[in-house]
Amino acid sequence: MAEIGKKFKALEIYVPEVLVAARAMSWGVEVLKPAWKGKDVKSLGTVLIGTVKGDLHDIGKNLVVMMMEGAGFKVIDMEPILQKRNLFKR
């Protein structure tokens, strides 16, 4: 994704290509996850993440999830939980 970021910054590729690359990386991570789970790797911590219902930024959220997991953090996606109840009532 670092190379994709460089190309995007240089205007050599555009958002659709970034999304295709991100999806490919996501699939690759899913293939590798079972191999990681068997390892005694200490988590660096836990991250809670989510977006506001209807927000279009969940693509970016998913990229952040992949990067955080790749860096050794346990990530809890709050979105399924937040859709079931309103944790932030006024």
Side-chain angles (χ1 to χ4, degrees):
M1 287 304 295
E3 189 63 30
I4 294 297
K6 289 177 191 174
K7 288 185 177 194
F8 182 70
K9 187 174 182 180
L11 301 177
E12 295 174 19
I13 62 172
Y14 300 96
V15 172
E17 290 87 359
V18 173
L19 296 176
V20 168
R23 182 161 296 164
M25 184 174 127
S26 176
W27 289 337
V29 167
E30 289 303 315
V31 169
L32 294 172
K33 272 185 183 179
W36 294 339
K37 290 196 188 279
K39 307 292 181 198
D40 289 331
V41 178
K42 184 177 179 190
S43 174
L44 295 176
T46 301
V47 176
L48 299 176
I49 192 165
T51 57
V52 176
K53 184 177 180 182
D55 192 358
L56 300 175
H57 293 94
D58 96 319
I59 294 166
K61 178 202 68 158
N62 294 337
L63 288 171
V64 170
V65 168
M66 286 187 295
M67 289 186 283
M68 298 299 284
E69 287 177 337
F73 289 89
K74 176 183 176 187
V75 179
I76 299 172
D77 187 352
M78 295 296 292
E79 218 149 315
I81 298 165
L82 293 175
Q83 288 177 2
K84 293 180 182 172
R85 65 177 99 126
N86 185 355
L87 298 179
F88 305 105
K89 290 182 181 179
R90 289 185 176 197

